[in-house]
Amino acid sequence: MDSDRYNPYEDPSLIQTQSSEEPILSDREPFNDVSRHFDIINGYQRNKILSHYPRRARPWIRVGAVVVLLLIALTFVLRFVHL
């Protein structure tokens, strides 16, 4: 093989043109423009992760989520049992 061929992956001038710093994004930053538009239309940002809710509400939200998941699982099990 000819080792003198141009390899763009090893070209230092191309690597230096790219920023080595990763952008710092807030955890409340919308994923895309549609999410940002949805938040603007509502006039507030919705809580997107559990840590955005007040500390006293978190256990109740967890319990509610577990109950909903158990009801969905129970529905699927009962459907297949009756078939």
Side-chain angles (χ1 to χ4, degrees):
M1 299 223 40
D2 187 17
S3 63
D4 294 336
R5 289 192 297 185
Y6 175 71
N7 187 351
Y9 294 104
E10 296 176 357
D11 188 359
S13 64
L14 290 177
I15 295 172
Q16 291 174 356
T17 59
Q18 297 176 358
S19 174
S20 61
E21 298 176 11
E22 292 186 20
I24 300 172
L25 298 175
S26 169
D27 60 337
R28 297 285 296 193
E29 186 69 25
F31 177 71
N32 58 21
D33 290 337
V34 175
S35 298
R36 183 177 292 124
H37 178 73
F38 182 74
D39 287 341
I40 290 170
I41 294 300
N42 286 335
Y44 61 92
Q45 282 190 327
R46 297 188 67 193
N47 295 326
K48 294 179 175 67
I49 57 176
L50 192 59
S51 65
H52 293 159
Y53 288 95
R55 189 169 301 277
R56 287 184 170 180
R58 292 178 196 168
W60 295 106
I61 294 170
R62 282 190 187 112
V63 167
V66 168
V67 167
V68 167
L69 290 174
L70 288 175
L71 287 173
I72 291 172
L74 183 65
T75 303
F76 279 119
V77 168
L78 290 177
R79 271 188 76 136
F80 288 119
V81 167
H82 289 293
L83 291 178

